[in-house]
Each structure stands twice: as structure tokens, then as C-alpha cells.
Amino acid sequence: MAQRNVNSAAKESSESSLSTAQILDLYNWIIDAPDSCSADDFIPSADCQELTAFDDHGPDYYVIWLRESKPVAAGAPLDGLFRIVPAEGA
């Protein structure tokens, strides 16, 4: 099977200048935001940047997605937890 690039994939975390602590802080802010809503899954749009922080004490990892440098969602995929921030004006 030939490998091909997929342009619709979210950007990788290595392109971020945020530290792990900053990613986790933003993750907690999204999870605790009173206007964020739960989702069974989240599929980011092509223009989202995905930032990942790994847990030092186990296999868990935490993800936030940004669009135009604004948070749109957070998740703990291994736990099936996703929270979405409503768009402005929604």
C-alpha cells in the first residue's frame, strides 16, 4: 500500500510553542468551562491545530484543539471524554 499525505489531518503538537503545563491548563479550562458541552467523540476540522500532553503516570493523554489560536475542544480519548466550546454567536 502506497503512503500518501492527507492534508485534512490536524496539525501535530510539535508545531506548538506551548509547554505541557500550558496545554494541561488550557485542557482543564475547557473541561471546566460552564458553557462547554459533552460529546461522544470529536473530529476536528482540517484547520484545527491539535496539541497533546502525555500523562507521566500512565498511558493517558490529553488533547486540545485550537482554531485560529482559539480553543474549540478538549479530550481524554482513552477515557472517551470530549468537551466542545460553543462557537461565538452560537
Side-chain angles (χ1 to χ4, degrees):
M1 175 181 238
Q3 180 180 4
R4 57 183 190 161
N5 292 331
V6 179
N7 292 330
S8 63
K11 294 180 183 178
E12 295 298 323
S13 298
S14 62
E15 297 178 21
S16 171
S17 60
L18 295 179
S19 69
T20 298
Q22 290 171 318
I23 293 171
L24 290 173
D25 188 45
L26 190 51
Y27 170 87
N28 287 323
W29 179 83
I30 296 168
I31 295 297
D32 294 336
D35 61 341
S36 68
C37 55
S38 293
D40 292 333
D41 197 3
F42 178 74
I43 300 173
S45 61
D47 60 346
C48 283
Q49 180 182 19
E50 181 178 295
L51 307 177
T52 304
F54 293 91
D55 189 341
D56 292 336
H57 305 290
D60 279 344
Y61 64 99
Y62 307 94
V63 184
I64 60 170
W65 289 273
L66 306 174
R67 182 181 303 122
E68 297 176 2
S69 300
K70 296 178 183 169
V72 295
L78 294 179
D79 296 326
L81 173 69
F82 297 92
R83 299 285 291 181
I84 300 172
V85 178
E88 289 183 26

Coordinates of all heavy atoms in Angstrom, one line a residue:
M1 N 0.8 -1.2 0.0 CA 0.0 0.0 0.0 C 0.9 1.2 0.0 O 1.8 1.4 0.8 CB -0.9 0.0 1.2 CG -1.7 1.2 1.4 SD -2.7 1.1 2.9 CE -4.3 1.3 2.2
A2 N 0.7 2.1 -0.9 CA 1.5 3.3 -1.0 C 1.1 4.3 0.0 O -0.1 4.5 0.4 CB 1.3 4.0 -2.4
Q3 N 2.0 5.0 0.5 CA 1.8 6.1 1.5 C 1.4 7.4 0.8 O 2.0 7.7 -0.2 CB 3.0 6.3 2.4 CG 2.8 7.3 3.5 CD 4.0 7.5 4.3 OE1 5.0 7.0 4.1 NE2 3.9 8.4 5.3
R4 N 0.4 8.1 1.3 CA 0.1 9.4 0.7 C -0.2 10.4 1.9 O -0.6 10.0 2.9 CB -1.1 9.3 -0.2 CG -2.3 8.7 0.4 CD -3.4 8.6 -0.6 NE -4.6 8.2 0.2 CZ -5.8 8.4 -0.2 NH1 -6.1 8.8 -1.4 NH2 -6.8 8.1 0.6
N5 N 0.1 11.6 1.6 CA -0.2 12.7 2.6 C -1.6 13.0 2.6 O -2.3 13.1 1.6 CB 0.7 13.9 2.2 CG 2.1 13.7 2.4 OD1 2.5 12.9 3.2 ND2 3.0 14.4 1.7
V6 N -2.1 13.3 3.8 CA -3.5 13.7 4.0 C -3.5 15.1 4.5 O -3.1 15.4 5.6 CB -4.3 12.7 4.9 CG1 -5.7 13.2 5.1 CG2 -4.2 11.3 4.4
N7 N -4.0 16.0 3.6 CA -3.9 17.4 4.0 C -5.0 17.8 5.0 O -5.0 18.9 5.6 CB -4.1 18.3 2.8 CG -2.9 18.2 1.9 OD1 -1.8 18.0 2.4 ND2 -3.0 18.3 0.6
S8 N -6.0 17.0 5.2 CA -7.1 17.3 6.1 C -6.8 16.9 7.6 O -7.6 17.2 8.4 CB -8.4 16.6 5.7 OG -8.2 15.2 5.7
A9 N -5.7 16.3 7.8 CA -5.3 15.9 9.2 C -5.0 17.1 10.0 O -4.5 18.1 9.5 CB -4.1 14.9 9.2
A10 N -5.3 17.1 11.3 CA -4.9 18.2 12.2 C -3.4 18.3 12.3 O -2.7 17.3 12.2 CB -5.5 17.9 13.6
K11 N -2.9 19.5 12.5 CA -1.5 19.7 12.7 C -1.0 19.0 13.9 O -1.7 18.9 14.9 CB -1.2 21.2 12.8 CG -1.6 22.0 11.5 CD -1.3 23.5 11.7 CE -1.7 24.2 10.4 NZ -1.5 25.6 10.6
E12 N 0.2 18.6 13.9 CA 0.8 17.9 15.0 C 1.2 18.8 16.1 O 1.5 20.0 15.9 CB 2.0 17.1 14.5 CG 1.7 16.0 13.6 CD 0.8 15.0 14.1 OE1 0.9 14.6 15.3 OE2 -0.1 14.5 13.4
S13 N 1.3 18.3 17.3 CA 1.7 19.0 18.5 C 3.1 19.7 18.5 O 3.3 20.7 19.1 CB 1.6 18.2 19.8 OG 0.2 17.7 19.9
S14 N 4.0 19.0 17.7 CA 5.3 19.5 17.7 C 5.4 20.9 17.1 O 6.5 21.6 17.3 CB 6.2 18.6 16.9 OG 5.7 18.5 15.6
E15 N 4.4 21.4 16.5 CA 4.4 22.8 15.9 C 4.0 23.8 16.9 O 3.9 25.0 16.6 CB 3.5 22.8 14.7 CG 3.9 21.9 13.6 CD 3.0 22.0 12.4 OE1 2.2 22.9 12.3 OE2 3.0 21.0 11.6
S16 N 3.7 23.4 18.2 CA 3.2 24.3 19.2 C 4.4 24.9 20.0 O 5.3 24.2 20.3 CB 2.2 23.6 20.1 OG 1.9 24.4 21.2
S17 N 4.2 26.1 20.5 CA 5.2 26.6 21.4 C 4.7 26.5 22.8 O 5.3 27.0 23.7 CB 5.5 28.1 21.0 OG 4.3 28.9 21.1
L18 N 3.5 25.9 23.1 CA 3.0 25.7 24.4 C 3.7 24.6 25.1 O 4.0 23.5 24.5 CB 1.5 25.4 24.4 CG 0.6 26.5 23.8 CD1 -0.9 26.0 23.8 CD2 0.7 27.8 24.6
S19 N 4.0 24.8 26.4 CA 4.5 23.7 27.2 C 3.5 22.7 27.6 O 2.3 23.0 27.5 CB 5.2 24.3 28.5 OG 4.1 24.8 29.3
T20 N 3.9 21.6 28.1 CA 2.9 20.6 28.6 C 2.0 21.1 29.7 O 0.8 20.9 29.7 CB 3.7 19.3 29.1 OG1 4.4 18.7 28.0 CG2 2.7 18.3 29.7
A21 N 2.6 21.9 30.6 CA 1.8 22.5 31.7 C 0.8 23.5 31.1 O -0.4 23.5 31.6 CB 2.7 23.2 32.7
Q22 N 1.1 24.2 30.1 CA 0.2 25.2 29.5 C -0.9 24.4 28.7 O -2.1 24.8 28.8 CB 0.9 26.1 28.5 CG 1.8 27.1 29.2 CD 2.7 27.9 28.2 OE1 3.2 27.3 27.3 NE2 2.8 29.1 28.5
I23 N -0.6 23.3 28.1 CA -1.6 22.5 27.4 C -2.6 22.0 28.4 O -3.8 22.0 28.2 CB -1.0 21.4 26.6 CG1 -0.2 22.0 25.4 CG2 -2.0 20.4 26.1 CD1 0.6 21.0 24.6
L24 N -2.1 21.4 29.5 CA -2.9 20.9 30.6 C -3.8 22.0 31.2 O -4.9 21.7 31.6 CB -2.1 20.1 31.6 CG -1.5 18.8 31.1 CD1 -0.5 18.3 32.2 CD2 -2.5 17.8 30.7
D25 N -3.2 23.1 31.4 CA -4.0 24.3 32.0 C -5.2 24.6 31.1 O -6.3 24.8 31.5 CB -3.1 25.5 32.2 CG -3.8 26.6 33.0 OD1 -4.5 26.3 34.0 OD2 -3.6 27.7 32.6
L26 N -4.9 24.7 29.8 CA -6.0 25.0 28.8 C -7.0 23.9 28.7 O -8.2 24.1 28.7 CB -5.3 25.3 27.4 CG -6.3 25.8 26.4 CD1 -7.0 27.1 26.8 CD2 -5.4 26.2 25.1
Y27 N -6.5 22.6 28.8 CA -7.4 21.5 28.8 C -8.4 21.6 30.0 O -9.6 21.4 29.9 CB -6.6 20.2 29.0 CG -7.4 18.9 29.2 CD1 -8.0 18.2 28.2 CD2 -7.6 18.5 30.5 CE1 -8.7 17.1 28.5 CE2 -8.4 17.4 30.8 CZ -8.9 16.7 29.8 OH -9.7 15.6 30.0
N28 N -7.8 21.9 31.2 CA -8.7 22.0 32.4 C -9.7 23.1 32.3 O -10.8 23.0 32.7 CB -7.8 22.1 33.7 CG -7.1 20.8 34.0 OD1 -7.7 19.8 33.9 ND2 -5.9 20.9 34.5
W29 N -9.2 24.2 31.7 CA -10.1 25.4 31.5 C -11.3 25.0 30.6 O -12.4 25.3 30.9 CB -9.3 26.6 30.9 CG -10.2 27.7 30.6 CD1 -10.6 28.7 31.5 CD2 -10.9 28.1 29.4 NE1 -11.4 29.6 30.9 CE2 -11.6 29.3 29.6 CE3 -10.9 27.5 28.1 CZ2 -12.3 29.9 28.6 CZ3 -11.6 28.1 27.2 CH2 -12.4 29.3 27.4
I30 N -11.0 24.3 29.5 CA -12.1 23.9 28.6 C -13.0 22.9 29.3 O -14.3 23.0 29.2 CB -11.5 23.2 27.3 CG1 -10.7 24.3 26.5 CG2 -12.6 22.6 26.4 CD1 -9.9 23.7 25.4
I31 N -12.5 21.9 30.0 CA -13.3 20.9 30.6 C -14.2 21.5 31.7 O -15.4 21.1 31.8 CB -12.4 19.8 31.3 CG1 -11.6 19.0 30.2 CG2 -13.2 18.8 32.2 CD1 -12.5 18.2 29.3
D32 N -13.7 22.5 32.4 CA -14.5 23.1 33.5 C -15.3 24.3 33.0 O -16.1 24.9 33.8 CB -13.5 23.6 34.6 CG -12.8 22.5 35.3 OD1 -13.4 21.3 35.3 OD2 -11.7 22.7 35.9
A33 N -15.2 24.7 31.8 CA -16.0 25.9 31.3 C -17.5 25.6 31.4 O -17.9 24.5 30.9 CB -15.6 26.2 29.9
P34 N -18.2 26.5 32.0 CA -19.7 26.2 32.2 C -20.4 26.1 30.8 O -21.5 25.5 30.8 CB -20.2 27.4 33.0 CG -19.1 28.4 32.9 CD -17.8 27.8 32.6
D35 N -19.9 26.7 29.8 CA -20.7 26.7 28.5 C -20.2 25.6 27.6 O -20.7 25.4 26.5 CB -20.6 28.1 27.8 CG -19.2 28.5 27.5 OD1 -18.3 27.9 28.1 OD2 -19.1 29.4 26.6
S36 N -19.2 24.8 28.0 CA -18.7 23.7 27.1 C -19.7 22.6 27.3 O -20.4 22.4 28.3 CB -17.3 23.3 27.5 OG -17.3 22.7 28.8
C37 N -19.8 21.8 26.2 CA -20.8 20.7 26.2 C -20.1 19.3 25.9 O -19.0 19.3 25.2 CB -21.9 20.9 25.2 SG -21.3 21.2 23.6
S38 N -20.6 18.3 26.5 CA -20.1 16.9 26.3 C -20.3 16.4 24.9 O -21.3 16.8 24.3 CB -20.7 16.0 27.3 OG -20.3 16.3 28.6
A39 N -19.5 15.6 24.4 CA -19.6 14.9 23.1 C -19.1 13.5 23.2 O -18.2 13.2 24.0 CB -18.9 15.6 22.0
D40 N -19.7 12.6 22.5 CA -19.2 11.2 22.5 C -17.9 11.0 21.7 O -17.1 10.1 22.0 CB -20.3 10.3 21.8 CG -21.5 10.1 22.7 OD1 -21.4 10.3 23.9 OD2 -22.6 9.9 22.1
D41 N -17.7 11.9 20.8 CA -16.4 11.9 20.0 C -16.3 13.3 19.4 O -17.2 14.1 19.4 CB -16.6 10.9 18.9 CG -15.2 10.5 18.3 OD1 -14.2 11.0 18.8 OD2 -15.2 9.7 17.3
F42 N -15.1 13.6 19.0 CA -14.8 14.9 18.3 C -13.9 14.6 17.1 O -12.8 14.0 17.3 CB -14.2 15.9 19.3 CG -13.8 17.2 18.7 CD1 -14.8 18.1 18.4 CD2 -12.5 17.5 18.4 CE1 -14.5 19.3 17.8 CE2 -12.2 18.7 17.8 CZ -13.2 19.6 17.5
I43 N -14.3 15.1 16.0 CA -13.4 15.0 14.8 C -13.1 16.5 14.4 O -14.0 17.2 14.0 CB -14.1 14.3 13.6 CG1 -14.4 12.9 14.1 CG2 -13.3 14.3 12.4 CD1 -15.3 12.1 13.1
P44 N -11.9 16.9 14.5 CA -11.5 18.3 14.3 C -11.6 18.6 12.8 O -11.3 17.7 11.9 CB -10.1 18.4 14.8 CG -9.5 17.0 14.7 CD -10.7 16.1 15.0
S45 N -11.8 19.8 12.5 CA -11.8 20.2 11.1 C -10.3 20.4 10.6 O -9.4 20.4 11.5 CB -12.6 21.5 10.9 OG -12.0 22.6 11.6
A46 N -10.1 20.5 9.3 CA -8.8 20.5 8.8 C -8.0 21.7 9.3 O -6.7 21.7 9.3 CB -8.8 20.5 7.3
D47 N -8.6 22.8 9.6 CA -7.9 24.0 10.0 C -7.6 24.0 11.5 O -7.2 25.0 12.1 CB -8.7 25.2 9.6 CG -10.1 25.3 10.2 OD1 -10.6 24.3 10.7 OD2 -10.7 26.4 10.1
C48 N -7.9 22.9 12.2 CA -7.6 22.9 13.7 C -6.1 22.4 13.9 O -5.6 21.6 13.2 CB -8.5 21.9 14.4 SG -10.1 22.6 14.7
Q49 N -5.6 23.0 15.0 CA -4.3 22.5 15.5 C -4.5 21.6 16.7 O -5.2 22.0 17.6 CB -3.4 23.7 15.9 CG -2.0 23.3 16.4 CD -1.2 24.5 16.8 OE1 -1.7 25.6 17.0 NE2 0.1 24.3 16.9
E50 N -3.9 20.5 16.7 CA -4.0 19.5 17.8 C -2.8 19.6 18.7 O -1.7 19.5 18.2 CB -4.2 18.1 17.2 CG -4.4 17.1 18.3 CD -4.6 15.7 17.7 OE1 -5.6 15.5 17.0 OE2 -3.7 14.8 17.9
L51 N -3.0 19.8 20.0 CA -1.9 19.8 21.0 C -2.1 18.7 22.0 O -3.2 18.5 22.5 CB -1.9 21.2 21.7 CG -1.9 22.4 20.8 CD1 -1.9 23.7 21.6 CD2 -0.6 22.4 19.9
T52 N -1.1 17.9 22.2 CA -1.2 16.7 23.1 C -0.3 16.8 24.2 O 0.9 17.2 24.1 CB -0.9 15.5 22.3 OG1 -1.8 15.4 21.1 CG2 -1.1 14.2 23.1
A53 N -0.8 16.4 25.4 CA 0.1 16.3 26.6 C -0.1 14.9 27.1 O -1.2 14.4 27.3 CB -0.4 17.3 27.7
F54 N 1.0 14.3 27.4 CA 1.0 12.9 27.9 C 1.1 12.8 29.4 O 1.8 13.6 30.0 CB 2.2 12.1 27.3 CG 2.0 11.9 25.8 CD1 2.5 12.8 24.9 CD2 1.2 10.8 25.3 CE1 2.3 12.7 23.5 CE2 1.0 10.7 24.0 CZ 1.5 11.6 23.1
D55 N 0.5 11.9 30.0 CA 0.5 11.7 31.5 C 1.7 10.9 31.8 O 2.0 9.8 31.3 CB -0.8 10.9 31.9 CG -0.9 10.8 33.4 OD1 0.0 11.0 34.1 OD2 -2.1 10.5 33.8
D56 N 2.5 11.4 32.8 CA 3.7 10.8 33.2 C 3.5 9.5 34.0 O 4.4 8.7 34.2 CB 4.5 11.7 34.1 CG 5.1 12.9 33.3 OD1 5.3 12.8 32.1 OD2 5.4 13.9 33.9
H57 N 2.2 9.3 34.5 CA 2.0 8.2 35.4 C 1.1 7.1 34.8 O 0.7 6.2 35.5 CB 1.2 8.7 36.7 CG 2.0 9.8 37.4 ND1 3.1 9.6 38.0 CD2 1.8 11.1 37.4 CE1 3.6 10.7 38.5 NE2 2.8 11.7 38.2
G58 N 1.0 7.1 33.5 CA 0.2 6.0 32.9 C 0.0 6.3 31.4 O 0.7 7.2 30.8
P59 N -0.8 5.5 30.7 CA -0.9 5.6 29.3 C -1.8 6.8 28.8 O -2.0 7.0 27.6 CB -1.6 4.3 28.9 CG -2.4 3.9 30.1 CD -1.6 4.4 31.3
D60 N -2.5 7.5 29.7 CA -3.4 8.6 29.3 C -2.7 9.7 28.6 O -1.5 10.0 28.9 CB -4.1 9.1 30.6 CG -5.3 8.2 31.0 OD1 -5.7 7.4 30.2 OD2 -5.8 8.4 32.1
Y61 N -3.5 10.4 27.8 CA -3.0 11.6 27.2 C -4.2 12.5 27.0 O -5.4 12.1 27.0 CB -2.3 11.4 25.8 CG -3.2 10.8 24.7 CD1 -3.7 11.6 23.8 CD2 -3.5 9.4 24.7 CE1 -4.5 11.1 22.8 CE2 -4.2 8.9 23.7 CZ -4.8 9.7 22.7 OH -5.6 9.2 21.7
Y62 N -3.9 13.8 27.0 CA -4.9 14.8 26.9 C -4.7 15.7 25.7 O -3.6 16.0 25.3 CB -4.9 15.7 28.2 CG -4.9 14.8 29.4 CD1 -3.8 14.4 30.1 CD2 -6.1 14.4 29.9 CE1 -3.8 13.6 31.2 CE2 -6.2 13.5 31.0 CZ -5.0 13.1 31.6 OH -5.1 12.3 32.7
V63 N -5.8 16.0 25.0 CA -5.7 16.7 23.8 C -6.5 18.0 23.8 O -7.7 18.0 24.4 CB -6.2 15.8 22.6 CG1 -6.0 16.5 21.3 CG2 -5.5 14.5 22.6
I64 N -6.0 19.1 23.2 CA -6.8 20.3 23.0 C -6.7 20.6 21.5 O -5.8 20.2 20.8 CB -6.4 21.5 23.8 CG1 -5.0 21.9 23.5 CG2 -6.6 21.2 25.3 CD1 -4.6 23.2 24.1
W65 N -7.8 21.2 20.9 CA -7.8 21.6 19.6 C -8.0 23.1 19.5 O -8.9 23.6 20.2 CB -8.9 20.9 18.8 CG -8.6 19.4 18.6 CD1 -7.9 18.9 17.6 CD2 -9.0 18.3 19.4 NE1 -7.8 17.5 17.7 CE2 -8.5 17.1 18.8 CE3 -9.8 18.2 20.6 CZ2 -8.8 15.9 19.4 CZ3 -10.0 17.0 21.1 CH2 -9.5 15.8 20.5
L66 N -7.2 23.7 18.7 CA -7.3 25.2 18.5 C -7.6 25.5 17.1 O -7.2 24.8 16.2 CB -6.0 25.9 18.9 CG -5.4 25.6 20.2 CD1 -4.0 26.2 20.3 CD2 -6.3 26.1 21.3
R67 N -8.4 26.5 16.9 CA -8.7 27.0 15.5 C -8.4 28.5 15.6 O -9.0 29.2 16.4 CB -10.1 26.8 15.1 CG -10.4 27.3 13.6 CD -11.8 27.1 13.2 NE -12.2 25.7 13.2 CZ -13.3 25.2 14.0 NH1 -14.0 26.1 14.7 NH2 -13.6 24.0 14.0
E68 N -7.5 29.0 14.8 CA -7.1 30.4 14.8 C -6.7 30.8 16.2 O -7.1 31.9 16.7 CB -8.2 31.3 14.2 CG -8.6 31.0 12.8 CD -9.8 31.8 12.3 OE1 -10.3 32.6 13.0 OE2 -10.1 31.6 11.1
S69 N -5.9 30.0 16.8 CA -5.4 30.2 18.2 C -6.4 30.2 19.3 O -6.1 30.6 20.4 CB -4.5 31.4 18.2 OG -3.5 31.3 17.3
K70 N -7.7 29.9 19.0 CA -8.8 29.8 20.0 C -9.2 28.4 20.3 O -9.3 27.6 19.3 CB -10.0 30.6 19.5 CG -9.7 32.1 19.3 CD -10.9 32.8 18.8 CE -10.5 34.3 18.5 NZ -11.5 34.9 17.8
P71 N -9.4 28.0 21.5 CA -9.8 26.7 21.9 C -11.1 26.3 21.3 O -12.1 27.1 21.5 CB -9.7 26.6 23.4 CG -9.9 28.0 23.8 CD -9.3 28.9 22.7
V72 N -11.3 25.1 20.7 CA -12.6 24.7 20.3 C -13.0 23.4 20.9 O -14.2 23.1 21.0 CB -12.6 24.5 18.7 CG1 -12.4 25.8 18.0 CG2 -11.5 23.5 18.3
A73 N -12.1 22.6 21.5 CA -12.4 21.3 22.1 C -11.3 20.8 22.9 O -10.1 21.2 22.7 CB -12.9 20.3 21.1
A74 N -11.6 19.9 23.8 CA -10.6 19.2 24.6 C -11.1 17.8 24.8 O -12.3 17.5 24.8 CB -10.4 19.8 26.0
G75 N -10.1 16.9 25.0 CA -10.5 15.5 25.2 C -9.4 14.6 25.9 O -8.3 15.0 25.9
A76 N -9.9 13.6 26.5 CA -9.1 12.5 27.0 C -9.6 11.2 26.3 O -10.5 10.5 26.7 CB -9.3 12.4 28.5
P77 N -9.0 11.0 25.0 CA -9.6 10.0 24.2 C -9.6 8.6 24.8 O -10.6 7.8 24.5 CB -8.6 10.0 23.0 CG -8.1 11.4 22.9 CD -8.0 11.8 24.4
L78 N -8.7 8.2 25.6 CA -8.7 6.9 26.2 C -9.8 6.7 27.2 O -10.2 5.6 27.5 CB -7.3 6.5 26.8 CG -6.1 6.4 25.8 CD1 -4.9 6.1 26.6 CD2 -6.4 5.3 24.8
D79 N -10.3 7.8 27.7 CA -11.4 7.8 28.7 C -12.7 8.1 28.0 O -13.8 8.1 28.7 CB -11.2 8.8 29.8 CG -9.9 8.5 30.6 OD1 -9.6 7.3 30.8 OD2 -9.3 9.4 31.1
G80 N -12.7 8.4 26.7 CA -14.0 8.7 26.0 C -14.6 10.0 26.4 O -15.8 10.2 26.3
L81 N -13.7 11.0 26.9 CA -14.2 12.3 27.3 C -13.8 13.3 26.3 O -12.7 13.5 26.0 CB -13.5 12.6 28.7 CG -13.8 14.0 29.2 CD1 -15.2 14.2 29.6 CD2 -12.9 14.3 30.4
F82 N -14.8 14.0 25.9 CA -14.7 15.2 24.9 C -15.6 16.3 25.4 O -16.7 16.1 25.7 CB -15.0 14.8 23.5 CG -14.1 13.7 23.0 CD1 -14.4 12.4 23.1 CD2 -12.8 14.0 22.4 CE1 -13.6 11.4 22.6 CE2 -12.0 13.0 21.9 CZ -12.4 11.7 22.0
R83 N -15.1 17.5 25.3 CA -15.8 18.7 25.6 C -15.6 19.7 24.5 O -14.5 19.9 24.1 CB -15.4 19.3 27.0 CG -15.6 18.5 28.2 CD -17.0 18.3 28.6 NE -17.5 19.6 29.2 CZ -18.7 19.7 29.7 NH1 -19.6 18.7 29.7 NH2 -19.2 20.8 30.1
I84 N -16.7 20.3 24.0 CA -16.6 21.2 22.9 C -17.0 22.6 23.4 O -18.0 22.8 24.1 CB -17.5 20.8 21.8 CG1 -17.1 19.4 21.3 CG2 -17.6 21.8 20.6 CD1 -18.0 18.7 20.3
V85 N -16.3 23.6 23.0 CA -16.6 25.0 23.3 C -17.5 25.5 22.2 O -17.1 25.5 21.0 CB -15.3 25.8 23.4 CG1 -15.6 27.3 23.7 CG2 -14.4 25.3 24.5
P86 N -18.7 26.1 22.5 CA -19.5 26.6 21.5 C -18.9 27.7 20.7 O -18.1 28.5 21.3 CB -20.8 27.1 22.3 CG -20.6 26.5 23.6 CD -19.2 26.2 23.9
A87 N -19.2 27.8 19.5 CA -18.7 28.9 18.6 C -19.3 30.2 19.1 O -20.4 30.2 19.6 CB -18.9 28.7 17.2
E88 N -18.6 31.3 18.9 CA -19.2 32.6 19.2 C -20.4 32.9 18.4 O -20.4 32.5 17.2 CB -18.2 33.7 19.0 CG -17.0 33.7 19.9 CD -16.1 34.9 19.7 OE1 -16.5 35.9 19.2 OE2 -14.9 34.7 20.1
G89 N -21.4 33.4 19.0 CA -22.7 33.7 18.3 C -23.6 32.4 18.2 O -24.6 32.5 17.6
A90 N -23.1 31.3 18.7 CA -24.0 30.1 18.6 C -25.0 30.0 19.6 O -25.0 30.6 20.6 CB -23.1 28.9 18.7

